Amino acid sequence: MENILILYGFKKTPYSRSFVPVPDIINAEFKDAQVINEHYSKEKVIYQIYYLDENYYEFIIRIIITYPDDSITIMADEANMAVRAYQALYNNLVAGVSG
């Protein structure tokens, strides 16, 4: 995957050090996307997302959440898919969280 974006400074749900609602956020942005949890540990969660657009072109996005440094890495073959996933996660986890 050639396009990589990294999001720092996201806010997790209250009372949880290790939960970020990535499947919910991605499914809201990419309708009918298939989100697969490939790896889960207290240090890292890896999601693989398969998305078929309206032209029946398949996109694959990989999202890696690393808890020691509270970062989310977004990787995709297509830059516009990486940016779209980044914006959805940013709007929900950084800009959209009121506290």
Side-chain angles (χ1 to χ4, degrees):
M1 297 194 172
E2 298 176 8
N3 300 287
I4 299 172
L5 298 170
I6 301 175
L7 173 64
Y8 290 102
F10 66 91
K11 296 179 181 165
K12 296 171 282 302
T13 56
Y15 311 109
S16 176
R17 169 146 169 57
S18 60
F19 177 73
V20 178
V22 168
D24 296 337
I25 295 168
I26 292 301
N27 280 322
E29 177 64 27
F30 298 95
K31 303 295 182 218
D32 299 321
Q34 181 180 11
V35 181
I36 297 171
N37 186 331
E38 287 190 341
H39 173 82
Y40 180 84
S41 69
K42 68 179 185 176
E43 293 89 23
K44 184 186 298 186
V45 179
I46 301 173
Y47 294 100
Q48 185 96 357
I49 295 103
Y50 298 94
Y51 174 64
L52 194 64
D53 73 0
E54 59 276 350
N55 296 317
Y56 302 102
Y57 186 79
E58 183 179 56
F59 296 96
I60 299 173
I61 304 165
R62 176 169 255 190
I63 296 176
I64 303 168
I65 304 166
T66 308
Y67 292 110
D69 55 346
D70 288 339
S71 68
I72 300 175
T73 302
I74 302 154
M75 299 183 291
D77 289 331
E78 298 287 330
N80 61 334
M81 290 294 131
V83 169
R84 191 170 154 192
Y86 180 95
Q87 289 174 331
L89 290 166
Y90 178 86
N91 289 338
N92 281 275
L93 298 173
V94 178
V97 176
S98 60

